Amino acid sequence: NSEDSGRVLPIFLAQDDSLNGHHVLVSGYLDGFLDVPGCTKLGKQYDYAISCDRDIRRLNIWADDVGIVNISGPGYKPPEEANMGSPVHGMNAGMMYFEDNQGTTRRGYGTPVIVGESYTITNMGHGDIIVELSDSILGELYNQTDTINITIEGSVSCTPGSSDNRIFLNSCGTGAWAGKMAMACKQDGPEWDDSSSFSQVSGAAAVT
């Protein structure tokens, strides 16, 4: 059993033939991925999942609960094609819901994205956030650095990657010291403006 997001957002990866030759599977509920070249819908054996020949990873946004956040870009339908029925609730059109595992972990949003593509985040508010893509274990396993381009609220942008520093994380989410660190794709509140940007600092990135 899981919450609705647990039926819509998982990604399955395989380097071998354990998925019968399929290497990346996303939920069939995310029908926007069918518009991506190289992605096809499978049958009942795979619960009608979508198989892609593109690298797909999880994007995490560590932040406070600001309501529904929106992501637009490859793999996501336009708002007018949102499936608002259960269990999708618009996630196929990039509607991202705050997740805290019923209060057991620290704050965040997450959704699948395609490596190498560009995405826009809106309705994020103006608080502290950290944007994280994939993880170093997958980067080492696949012998590559996964990155995407992110623009937030049209005013700040960054390029999170699988090799980014993650010592701000613990088993419950973000550690208490996260707000004091320079790290990849970190935006400090309370306000953003058009001069905000992410810049490289000693192998990580911080806001200037």
Side-chain angles (χ1 to χ4, degrees):
N1 295 326
S2 70
E3 297 181 358
D4 286 345
S5 59
R7 301 173 60 188
V8 178
L9 301 179
I11 309 167
F12 293 89
L13 306 177
Q15 282 188 306
D16 56 19
D17 290 329
S18 56
L19 293 176
N20 292 330
H22 303 289
H23 297 294
V24 179
L25 298 182
V26 297
S27 168
Y29 292 118
L30 295 178
D31 54 348
F33 281 87
L34 291 174
D35 299 328
V36 176
C39 294
T40 58
K41 190 156 190 175
L42 304 180
K44 185 176 180 180
Q45 179 184 0
Y46 297 94
D47 197 25
Y48 305 103
I50 297 171
S51 172
C52 293
D53 61 10
R54 303 286 302 276
D55 291 323
I56 298 176
R57 302 289 187 262
R58 181 176 172 88
L59 172 71
N60 290 321
I61 301 177
W62 300 97
D64 289 325
D65 187 353
V66 294
I68 298 173
V69 172
N70 296 91
I71 184 171
S72 60
Y76 291 96
K77 292 286 190 179
E80 61 270 20
E81 295 183 36
N83 177 359
M84 297 307 299
S86 180
V88 185
H89 306 295
M91 286 182 268
N92 70 316
M95 296 177 69
M96 301 171 66
Y97 294 84
F98 184 75
E99 301 177 42
D100 65 354
N101 290 336
Q102 299 179 337
T104 62
T105 58
R106 291 175 63 98
R107 61 196 198 198
Y109 297 82
T111 200
V113 292
I114 301 172
V115 171
E117 296 289 354
S118 297
Y119 292 86
T120 299
I121 305 292
T122 55
N123 299 327
M124 191 67 250
H126 294 81
D128 297 347
I129 69 167
I130 302 170
V131 182
E132 177 196 21
L133 176 71
S134 188
D135 58 57
S136 58
I137 295 175
L138 279 178
E140 293 173 2
L141 182 64
Y142 285 86
N143 193 30
Q144 64 185 38
T145 299
D146 301 323
T147 62
I148 60 171
N149 297 310
I150 287 282
T151 301
I152 303 172
E153 301 297 349
S155 61
V156 294
S157 60
C158 68
T159 306
S162 57
S163 62
D164 291 336
N165 190 325
R166 284 174 173 78
I167 63 172
F168 67 95
L169 289 175
N170 59 35
S171 60
C172 293
T174 55
W177 56 86
K180 301 177 182 179
M181 295 177 56
M183 61 188 73
C185 295
K186 173 173 175 272
Q187 171 66 60
D188 295 318
E191 294 184 355
W192 302 351
D193 56 41
D194 290 340
S195 65
S196 298
S197 64
F198 292 96
S199 62
Q200 251 356 83
V201 179
S202 299
V207 175
T208 57

